[in-house]
Amino acid sequence: MGIIIALLSGALMSVQGVLNTAVTKQSSIWTAAGWVQISAFAVCVLMWMFGGRQPIGALWQVQPRYMLLGGILGALITYTVIRSVNSLGPAQSALLIVVAQIIIAYVIELFGLFGVEKAGFEWKKVIGALVAIGGIIIFKSSR
């Protein structure tokens, strides 16, 4: 089930990047990014109302506090995705975003950052990331 959800997440991110870029072309980048955040908030409120009402006050108990920066990162992600799709197109932008995610996620695992369980170094994962980078080079050279 995790694989299906991850694939769905990637597909949704690609479609969202294209939609947000189109909205930006007809408004502005911060208007589009703001709309994304406001509409996402509205969906979260609805899901909270119908999906089980855990206490909102629990947010103030989250430790360490920097874990609450996810929303700010969400706004920055929206901004950077819009800018990259606008400059590079959806496919090349998605390739670079995914490779960056793979590399940063592996570094987070290697060092056990942000409370993630520390993982051991594996050459095959480094080689996998290098193959992905090679894929970007091949993709870019085919233009």
Side-chain angles (χ1 to χ4, degrees), residues 2-20 81 85 90 94 97-98 101:
I3 291 171
I4 293 168
I5 292 171
L7 291 170
L8 178 60
S9 176
L12 291 173
M13 285 180 193
S14 293
V15 172
Q16 182 194 33
V18 172
L19 296 177
N20 293 347
V81 169
V85 169
I97 290 167
V98 169
Q101 287 177 320

Side-chain angles (χ1 to χ4, degrees), residues 20-33:
N20 293 347
T21 302
V23 172
T24 297
K25 289 177 181 175
Q26 298 177 48
S27 60
S28 72
I29 194 160
W30 288 113
T31 301

Side-chain angles (χ1 to χ4, degrees), residues 34-48:
W35 170 251
V36 169
Q37 302 308 314
I38 289 168
S39 58
F41 177 73
V43 169
C44 289
V45 169
L46 286 172
M47 298 302 277
W48 176 79

Side-chain angles (χ1 to χ4, degrees), residues 59-77:
L59 283 173
W60 307 121
Q61 306 305 316
V62 171
Q63 293 295 329
R65 292 268 191 232
Y66 69 80
M67 295 290 187
L68 295 172
L69 294 174
I72 294 168
L73 292 178
L76 296 173
I77 290 165

